[in-house]
Amino acid sequence: MNLRFVPFALAALSTPAFAAGVTVEFTNPDKYTDAKVENSSLPAAQASLQKRLREYLRQLGQRYLPDDQALTIDVLDIDLAGRFEPWRPNADTVRFMVSTTWPSMKLRYEVRGPDGKTLASGTETVMDQDYLRRPNQYSESDTLRYEKRMLDTWFDAKFGRPRGQHAGLT
């Protein structure tokens, strides 16, 4: 065995492989401010919300970032738009929207380049205090329509135009 190549082989083994794409994690979801689409504490309801948010955040990351970059998002807190009012009819399935119950999420993110080096990172609380006054492109039946629009706005502000959109084109 040629010992001159041993340091290079060891270095290659200790360097993690770069994987482009979007990774979304949920930290301490039991402690989130308000992360229930239905007024239920069933694990299936929480898992469904996490799955839908993970899929949407992945779609946004794929739409905004180049293929050779990786985005990691750690969701630290969620406060969905509206609130449940237990004294009203349909209290378990209807979130009542008022101007003081805007959506917000606390996110920690990191963008890495193809060499694995961090290009951008931070922790931010994303919110939409005017959520009831802004036009919304999502269906009324989409229970996350306000959160999606809020995340759209954040991605646009943080990462610029989606790929394939150029100045003057919509």
Side-chain angles (χ1 to χ4, degrees):
M1 178 177 181
N2 190 339
L3 296 178
R4 292 182 310 176
F5 296 106
V6 170
F8 296 111
L10 291 174
L13 291 174
S14 66
T15 304
F18 175 78
V22 181
T23 304
V24 179
E25 297 295 328
F26 294 88
T27 300
N28 297 321
D30 294 339
K31 297 185 181 187
Y32 289 170
T33 302
D34 176 20
K36 298 177 187 175
V37 175
E38 294 182 0
N39 197 13
S40 166
S41 50
L42 294 174
Q46 189 177 62
S48 173
L49 173 68
Q50 289 177 10
K51 179 182 178 194
R52 291 174 58 204
L53 284 173
R54 179 178 286 116
E55 286 173 7
Y56 193 70
L57 288 165
R58 283 181 178 162
Q59 288 172 13
L60 286 172
Q62 291 167 356
R63 189 180 326 153
Y64 278 83
L65 297 172
D67 290 336
D68 64 350
Q69 291 182 359
L71 172 64
T72 301
I73 297 176
D74 193 7
V75 180
L76 304 173
D77 191 21
I78 299 172
D79 190 355
L80 297 176
R83 67 174 175 230
F84 292 105
E85 296 180 349
W87 58 89
R88 294 193 185 240
N90 300 319
D92 290 341
T93 58
V94 176
R95 294 184 72 89
F96 291 88
M97 306 296 170
V98 295
S99 62
T100 58
T101 60
W102 58 80
S104 70
M105 290 185 195
K106 186 173 184 180
L107 307 173
R108 181 174 40 231
Y109 71 95
E110 180 181 37
V111 179
R112 287 176 280 113
D115 57 0
K117 291 185 181 177
T118 299
L119 302 175
S121 65
T123 301
E124 295 186 26
T125 300
V126 182
M127 65 180 75
D128 184 359
Q129 292 177 313
D130 267 345
Y131 79 107
L132 290 174
R133 293 188 205 149
R134 298 181 203 276
N136 198 318
Q137 69 193 36
Y138 298 99
S139 166
E140 292 265 332
S141 64
D142 187 339
T143 55
L144 295 176
R145 64 186 171 276
Y146 299 112
E147 291 74 16
K148 286 180 177 180
R149 187 188 55 217
M150 174 185 73
L151 291 168
D152 290 346
T153 303
W154 182 72
F155 264 81
D156 198 46
K158 185 62 55 187
F159 303 110
R161 284 194 169 93
R163 292 188 296 164
Q165 285 191 7
H166 304 288
L169 300 176
T170 55

